[in-house]
Amino acid sequence: MQTVFSKAQGKFTPAGLYQSSVCEGSPGAITPVGKGAQSGLPGVPCPFLALFPGVARSDINCTQKHSGLRSCPWKPHVERGASSALLRYTRAMGALSSRMWWRRGARAPEQPGAGGEQLEAAEAAMAVADDVEEEREDGGPAPRPGPVKRKTDSGGSPEKQPHQKRSKACSDSVYEALFLRGEGSDVQICALGEVWNLHRVYLRRSGYFASMFSGAWREATMNTIELHMPDENIDLEALHEAFGSLYEYSVFIPPSRVIPVLATASMLQLDALIQQCGEIMKETLSVDTACSYYYSAESYGLPNIRAMCFQWLLDNLMTHHSEELVREVSLYIMQELIASSELIVMEVEMDVYTMLKKWMYLQLQPKWRGPRRALLSDANLWFARAKMESEGTPFLETEQGRAFVPVFQHLRLAYIVCDLPSARILDQDALIPATWLTPVYKEQWLALLRAEQTRELGPTDAHVSSFQGNSMRCGHQLHREEPCNWRWAGFNFGWDLVVCYANRRIIFRRSAMNNSQGLGVSFLWQRKIAFRMFLVSLDRTGRAMFRKVTEYQILSLGKDEELEVVNLENQDVVFPIYVACNFLYLPREGRCPD
């Protein structure tokens, strides 16, 4: 904001907002000017004439216009105390003037909350803040102005006080005098058994209170307002911090307090505090906070934080091996995670089923505590007893199991039943109804016949929609920088695909040797698959330090042919690296090429 001294009256004036008038108001009065302003504002003593008592106006006249302060001899005095006082003064008067209608030579009409009481309270509050600031900076009353003395360095330039320190001192004085001590308060806020003596001028910085005071609400004319907290996350400490932030106070928010503060800031519509909470959530995302941050971001409208937490869960749900993390994932979040093709799966789809079995057990037995290695065996025993009690009824068809049906429906069973040990576990557990499995077995058998008895080579186009729900998900962990080879278990329609890592390169090789882990090897000269690969390196907190994703593409390989898929030679990667892939060996029935 630019500020100037009036040539006629010697008033220190913010450019475009106020100017002094010789004809109207008392000596040293400030009146509003500009669009929509009316003349005749009752005389309000200029706060800067009080800084220079006993000095004639002609001695402090500035002949320059709005930009004349640069060469004004009174600039040091202005910089020390006047600018901060004027800023607070104009903020208060600006808020009040928006509620007042002035007419030349007439009194302001009586309006609730906009009369002389607010003006007196604002002036008293500003006077207290000015006094506190002068005592802090000068150690006593404001001195009379005299000859300006400037300290100069070797270059002769004036020594300037850092603006940041002045602003911080001003904020601290406002916070201590007005908020902590409640001096000049014009409204009481009661909530959660506590009372705060506050000021409407500062409360209007909150969208919640701005609407309350400006609308036709009963609270607009009340001196004591009682708030009822609609959110159980809001507590007394968070409410105190939120009120304090309205008085230009820098709020320190530890990670353990970010959700209550976010809930309070959302209710009071404090955008700056909400943004600060979002930044803290970004910096402190970990296995201990991922789920709670996700729920809070969804409840309080932070889509970027929600997306960040969801990506963290996709990366860590099956790689972090934390029972507490699995326990905290709700049903609807797990449904979204299992449906996603970007879920990092270790090693194959059967491992997704095993993780879901442990997750369902923890949801049903939330008090379970024990070593991680005992979780799966305890879950198997519990479901075995449930099977006996229900006389062999599949668990997902029982009253307890029906709630988990939407999650298990997103399992890609076609890539589980193609492995004999996995198919036997499904039959033994009896969690999934036979009505789910029978169509899958039929579809896979027909797909095998198409692969071996037709000229169908594989998919001709890679469509994202096909990958989302139909692709095979698998993954592997590269622990260190050393050559290694691996296969993913399953029949895979005659494909014996070997994945090789060496010299920071990942290579696909189609093996034609009769040592595959399926029923046999396809003798077709050429086969095609659609695939996508993504590599992720995670830090200790589970956040991605490195991520590389290939495009959806068609891979055509002949017998014993190999192809380089990813080259990491010039990439700054940190081990371990998780390698995850989506494969589509054959189009689903009805989508085959002619």
Side-chain angles (χ1 to χ4, degrees):
M1 177 186 295
Q2 289 184 328
T3 52
V4 296
F5 280 98
S6 168
K7 183 176 180 180
Q9 286 285 82
K11 309 305 179 297
F12 195 79
T13 309
L17 291 179
Y18 296 91
Q19 70 180 10
S20 60
S21 172
V22 178
C23 300
E24 298 173 356
S26 61
I30 299 180
T31 56
V33 297
K35 183 178 180 180
Q38 303 291 332
S39 60
L41 177 62
V44 180
C46 175
F48 302 102
L49 292 182
L51 297 178
F52 313 106
V55 181
R57 292 195 185 96
S58 60
D59 296 334
I60 61 175
N61 281 346
C62 179
T63 58
Q64 302 294 328
K65 290 191 176 181
H66 291 178
S67 61
L69 285 178
R70 189 170 299 176
S71 59
C72 181
W74 297 94
K75 181 180 178 183
H77 295 281
V78 173
E79 286 184 342
R80 291 192 60 186
S83 59
S84 59
L86 178 63
L87 177 60
R88 296 193 301 276
Y89 185 86
T90 53
R91 281 178 180 171
M93 296 305 296
L96 293 175
S97 63
S98 64
R99 297 287 306 245
M100 298 180 180
W101 177 73
W102 299 101
R103 187 175 57 187
R104 180 182 300 272
R107 293 185 58 186
E110 297 296 331
Q111 294 183 9
E117 294 180 0
Q118 283 191 350
L119 181 59
E120 292 174 3
E123 290 178 352
M126 296 307 107
V128 170
D130 288 345
D131 293 341
V132 173
E133 184 181 359
E134 289 176 3
E135 291 175 5
R136 290 173 61 97
E137 294 185 357
D138 303 331
R144 291 176 176 269
V148 178
K149 295 182 180 180
R150 301 187 181 182
K151 296 181 181 180
T152 58
D153 54 14
S154 57
S157 60
E159 181 181 2
K160 297 183 179 179
Q161 185 177 357
H163 176 72
Q164 184 176 0
K165 292 184 179 179
R166 295 198 306 274
S167 299
K168 186 178 185 301
C170 174
S171 300
D172 291 345
S173 64
V174 170
Y175 177 78
E176 294 171 4
L178 303 186
F179 179 68
L180 296 182
R181 297 198 294 269
E183 300 181 13
S185 170
D186 61 351
V187 64
Q188 280 189 337
I189 303 297
C190 303
L192 301 176
E194 188 66 26
V195 178
W196 288 268
N197 296 315
L198 303 178
H199 309 79
R200 294 175 185 265
V201 169
Y202 287 97
L203 288 177
R204 282 195 180 90
R205 296 178 176 180
S206 159
Y208 178 84
F209 286 106
S211 299
M212 177 186 292
F213 294 154
S214 61
W217 302 100
R218 179 182 60 181
E219 291 82 358
T221 59
M222 296 173 61
N223 294 327
T224 301
I225 300 173
E226 186 172 354
L227 298 181
H228 299 280
M229 298 300 104
D231 191 339
E232 62 182 8
N233 287 326
I234 300 176
D235 57 20
L236 187 62
E237 183 181 350
L239 199 57
H240 184 82
E241 294 292 340
F243 285 150
S245 69
L246 296 173
Y247 289 78
E248 302 179 357
Y249 178 68
S250 298
V251 179
F252 171 73
I253 308 174
S256 60
R257 298 290 307 158
V258 68
I259 293 178
V261 174
L262 176 61
T264 308
S266 298
M267 186 197 77
L268 298 179
Q269 302 173 33
L270 302 175
D271 293 339
L273 196 57
I274 292 174
Q275 183 178 0
Q276 183 180 351
C277 291
E279 294 299 325
I280 294 174
M281 295 167 79
K282 289 180 182 179
E283 296 172 359
T284 57
L285 180 62
S286 66
V287 64
D288 299 321
T289 60
C291 291
S292 59
Y293 283 179
Y294 180 95
Y295 303 138
S296 299
E298 190 168 53
S299 299
Y300 304 119
L302 299 178
N304 293 336
I305 302 299
R306 180 190 180 279
M308 180 185 66
C309 294
F310 187 74
Q311 184 61 59
W312 189 97
L313 290 170
L314 288 172
D315 294 340
N316 290 270
L317 181 64
M318 297 191 64
T319 61
H320 204 279
H321 306 295
S322 170
E323 287 72 33
E324 291 302 320
L325 174 63
V326 175
R327 190 196 310 271
E328 291 181 11
V329 178
S330 67
L331 191 147
Y332 78 94
I333 295 181
M334 186 63 79
Q335 181 178 348
E336 289 187 44
L337 292 170
I338 300 304
S340 175
S341 291
E342 296 182 4
L343 177 68
I344 296 182
V345 174
M346 298 285 130
E347 292 274 332
V348 290
E349 193 73 21
M350 184 61 187
D351 295 277
V352 181
Y353 168 81
T354 303
M355 184 272 298
L356 283 183
K357 182 164 56 173
K358 294 188 287 187
W359 166 76
M360 184 166 58
Y361 172 69
L362 290 174
Q363 299 297 307
L364 296 169
Q365 301 294 318
K367 296 183 179 180
W368 181 90
R369 295 294 184 275
R372 181 164 59 91
R373 66 186 67 177
L375 177 58
L376 181 58
S377 59
D378 290 350
N380 287 333
L381 288 174
W382 193 89
F383 286 117
R385 288 195 297 267
K387 178 181 177 182
M388 293 178 59
E389 293 173 358
S390 64
E391 299 179 352
T393 302
F395 184 77
L396 293 180
E397 290 184 344
T398 65
E399 184 177 353
Q400 283 183 302
R402 289 192 187 99
F404 302 96
V405 167
V407 177
F408 279 80
Q409 282 179 333
H410 290 288
L411 270 175
R412 304 182 182 188
L413 296 172
Y415 302 106
I416 298 179
V417 299
C418 62
D419 178 60
L420 182 59
S422 300
R424 286 175 173 171
I425 292 175
L426 288 183
D427 184 61
Q428 180 181 351
D429 290 344
L431 300 180
I432 299 176
T435 53
W436 292 22
L437 296 174
T438 301
V440 176
Y441 280 116
K442 177 182 178 181
E443 181 181 354
Q444 290 299 88
W445 175 249
L446 293 177
L448 170 62
L449 295 178
R450 293 202 314 272
E452 293 300 320
Q453 299 182 14
T454 68
R455 301 293 298 176
E456 189 172 297
L457 301 179
T460 57
D461 296 307
H463 297 288
V464 176
S465 59
S466 299
F467 276 85
Q468 292 302 324
N470 305 324
S471 61
M472 172 184 173
R473 299 179 292 192
C474 48
H476 185 77
Q477 183 179 11
L478 296 174
H479 295 277
R480 59 188 64 89
E481 178 65 78
E482 63 181 15
C484 63
N485 301 330
W486 71 89
R487 293 181 176 90
W488 285 297
F491 173 58
N492 301 335
F493 307 104
W495 269 86
D496 189 15
L497 189 66
V498 180
V499 187
C500 309
Y501 175 79
N503 300 321
R504 294 213 164 190
R505 290 179 171 85
I506 296 180
I507 298 172
F508 284 167
R509 179 186 299 125
R510 182 190 174 194
S511 175
M513 299 176 60
N514 193 16
N515 59 356
S516 68
Q517 299 181 14
L519 299 176
V521 177
S522 173
F523 291 100
L524 290 176
W525 174 254
Q526 189 180 55
R527 293 296 303 274
K528 292 181 180 180
I529 58 170
F531 81 98
R532 180 189 65 165
M533 176 180 289
F534 46 100
L535 297 89
V536 181
S537 178
L538 307 175
D539 63 10
R540 281 184 163 184
T541 64
R543 286 180 288 187
M545 299 182 293
F546 170 80
R547 185 185 304 274
K548 184 178 180 64
V549 183
T550 68
E551 300 292 337
Y552 294 95
Q553 50 191 300
I554 301 294
L555 176 64
S556 178
L557 290 177
K559 296 178 181 179
D560 296 319
E561 187 178 355
E562 63 181 34
L563 183 67
E564 179 180 303
V565 179
V566 175
N567 190 327
L568 300 176
E569 273 190 341
N570 298 323
Q571 303 290 333
D572 185 15
V573 297
V574 178
F575 287 85
I577 299 176
Y578 296 97
V579 181
C581 287
N582 298 121
F583 290 108
L584 192 62
Y585 288 94
L586 287 172
R588 293 177 64 86
E589 187 69 33
R591 300 182 185 179
C592 302
D594 294 336

